[in-house]
Amino acid sequence: MKRRNFIKGAGLGLAASTTLAAPAIAQSMPEVRWRLTSSFPKSLDTLFGASEVMAKRVAALTDNKFQIRVFAAGEIVPGLQVLDACQAGTVECGHTASYYYFGKDPTFAFMTAVPFGLNTRQINAWLYHGGGQELLQKDLYDEFGVQHFGAGNTGAQMGGWFRKEIKTPEDLNGLKMRIGGFAGNVMSRLGLVPQQIAAGDIYPALEKGTVDAAEWVGPYDDEKLGFHKVAKFYYYPGWWEGSAMLSALVNKKAWDALPPQYQSAFEAACLEGQTWMISKYDAVNSAALKRLLAGGTQLRAFPREVLQACHKAAMDLYADTASRNPRFKKVLDHYMAFQAEQLSWFRLSEYTFDNFMLATSSGARRRT
Amino acid sequence: MKRRNFIKGAGLGLAASTTLAAPAIAQSMPEVRWRLTSSFPKSLDTLFGASEVMAKRVAALTDNKFQIRVFAAGEIVPGLQVLDACQAGTVECGHTASYYYFGKDPTFAFMTAVPFGLNTRQINAWLYHGGGQELLQKDLYDEFGVQHFGAGNTGAQMGGWFRKEIKTPEDLNGLKMRIGGFAGNVMSRLGLVPQQIAAGDIYPALEKGTVDAAEWVGPYDDEKLGFHKVAKFYYYPGWWEGSAMLSALVNKKAWDALPPQYQSAFEAACLEGQTWMISKYDAVNSAALKRLLAGGTQLRAFPREVLQACHKAAMDLYADTASRNPRFKKVLDHYMAFQAEQLSWFRLSEYTFDNFMLATSSGARRRT
């Protein structure tokens, strides 16, 4: 083996010129302590857990010199104020879903999920190699004084929990539903009354009948939140979140003050967050789904007619929003063009492979 | 903002006790230089490029103290001898596809791709949260003296280039085809004559008629290799590579000698390699496909009857191999049980969402 591990600086020049050399070495690895505020409660060990995984990686990459302390929703600021806290410098960084801030500008929704948008693979392609990160950083996040990083994904979410079956688009009319992000604006075009409710408050709202239906993420999280105890029908797909990417936000001044090595550590940790979260959800959702079904939950697919009505409402909302908001229009055009390209490729090998595997395993299941 | 960047050691205790403190600081960041041997030629900027991205990240994470020099296939050892070179310590590490070594033990195939196996999301779930990494490290890679890391994925590959159409399973009989990994053993059960040919030699073999058909990866790579110039029909899906994960291998002694901080840097870089490669392929395949189609390439889906015959041959091969190889059987059972769980979950939201999006965009395309 031709490995050469040799120590530089120490035994060589340092002892001879301590006052010059020592600060140079020490400054390259200063102690930095940051606080991260999460949008999620500790009980959600995947959404919340990702920020712990990222903080652990940053510490390991810097010999514990760069420490990020993770706080759950509400410990520093409420879960839906992570952007504000990062912007104001209350904390150096946060972990959140960008679409929580669609009230400030609906353009934020693209970075998490828009109805009938990109799936998990596709949004990563857009973010890292399709210009998505650069576009939204420059046109949106810079204005809010934060640096953006993709940092986790839930995959395609379930369509949520309903007390009554949804057989036609008219069944959505008048329904009060907890639904996240921009999707509520689509649903309201079909007469649904969307409610923004934080994770921990959804169950009591559903139990008391304050809402008739609620969606969160998927089997693993939804089981933790207990929705199956108060609603029977579990719908799919969550067409408003064909994937939902989480975001790490960093106050710009804090980011610029970091040594390049620590910037690299933070960036690498966020990339790990991406793979860690989606692979964990994929690994644990199946068993949770089985438990839910064993407990009496009934699966229902949204009828095609309902999906089509929702799709039309979404496209109409996009057109209306774009006509009033040039930033939204610019990002929408970019996103939609990219999506069309992605679908033209995914429909070949990816889709036909998955389709064959599902059909074959379904056959195997029926035979047993 | 409550950020506190304070410098530790330097101005405080170091000047007072140079001979003790200086080596302690310096040793935590020693200079380490490794060589990485890749299985791929430089021209394949995604497969080869991933190892450059990883090396760059490792350097950035260690203030350039840990440098990995990347060598293309053939510069140190041939592309199919990366495992051997890492095991022998000729190099510290390599970037390869584990299934190239299925001749040593077919169990290696699980870490890259087996016919009708896990897709990209699913193999990550298996690797990181399903016990796959631990199982194969302990039962396989340890014996070969290397530490394994997932480090990139191509996604579902195309089924390759054929001069004549494949309409029935009988059309595979007697066909000479360049096909990678374990899949050749499945194909030979249908009378196909599989050939192992390195990337750069496939085009001349196809041109001269040494082979009748050839597969590599997908539109972006295949276009670079020029197959469309000598074969007309481009088939999908590549059922033998529903995803193909790349592997970073590290000589065990070199790994154990690394400081924990550098181990963390290498691990984080491999995780980045995963996201970087698949998102790059997803971003660039679509445009390459368009160019190929504009140049006269004709897309063909493998007929269902062909897929079913190949599926049966694969399941028979697995059963036969498992009956002779207890290690293969152990991993096969683990992998197949995990796959069944994955499919039971993916068939809900992921599949129905993708299905709706593809159907809707197909309709939109037809209308224009």
Side-chain angles (χ1 to χ4, degrees), chain A residues 70-284:
Chain A
V70 176
F71 293 86
E75 289 186 336
I76 299 176
V77 295
L80 303 183
Q81 292 176 25
V82 171
L83 170 61
D84 312 78
C86 293
Q87 187 179 7
T90 311
V91 292
E92 290 79 12
C93 62
H95 192 233
T96 188
S98 282
Y99 71 8
Y100 289 154
Y101 314 102
F102 82 95
K104 297 178 193 290
D105 190 315
T107 314
F108 276 112
F110 290 103
M111 207 48 121
T112 313
V114 293
F116 303 102
L118 299 167
N119 73 15
T120 304
R121 288 261 299 270
Q122 293 159 359
I123 199 168
N124 279 359
W126 186 61
L127 193 70
Y128 298 115
H129 298 279
Q133 167 64 28
E134 294 81 358
L135 177 66
L136 277 169
Q137 183 62 50
K138 186 169 166 288
D139 278 33
L140 184 65
Y141 293 95
D142 276 356
E143 184 181 312
F144 287 81
V146 294
Q147 184 68 36
H148 174 273
F149 302 88
N153 203 311
T154 65
Q157 299 195 0
M158 290 290 283
W161 299 83
F162 294 76
R163 284 225 173 82
K164 292 181 185 168
E165 289 186 81
I166 304 299
K167 294 184 171 172
T168 70
E170 289 70 37
D171 291 336
L172 296 172
N173 192 22
L175 206 71
K176 285 172 289 175
M177 181 174 180
R178 187 278 170 194
I179 183 165
F182 200 41
N185 294 11
V186 175
M187 285 289 212
S188 65
R189 290 182 172 232
L190 296 162
L192 183 141
V193 185
Q195 313 270 324
Q196 292 277 4
I197 305 174
D201 301 325
I202 304 173
Y203 175 84
L206 195 57
E207 191 188 23
K208 288 174 197 159
T210 312
V211 294
D212 307 304
E215 64 83 35
W216 178 249
V217 172
Y220 185 71
D221 280 2
D222 291 3
E223 183 189 34
K224 281 181 190 287
L225 297 176
F227 303 148
H228 55 291
K229 297 175 196 161
V230 287
K232 183 174 166 187
F233 300 108
Y234 198 19
Y235 271 83
Y236 66 90
W239 46 265
W240 51 92
E241 289 169 290
S243 79
M245 190 170 74
L246 287 301
S247 295
L249 302 177
V250 180
N251 175 278
K252 273 274 193 185
K253 285 178 192 164
W255 179 252
D256 292 341
L258 272 189
Q261 185 182 344
Y262 291 9
Q263 289 184 336
S264 187
F266 192 90
E267 198 172 20
C270 290
L271 283 160
E272 176 171 10
Q274 293 273 41
T275 299
W276 183 87
M277 189 188 291
I278 185 63
S279 58
K280 173 155 181 187
Y281 269 123
D282 286 343
V284 298

Side-chain angles (χ1 to χ4, degrees), chain B residues 19 73 77 197 201 300:
Chain B
T19 51
V77 295
I197 305 175
D201 301 325
R300 291 288 184 278

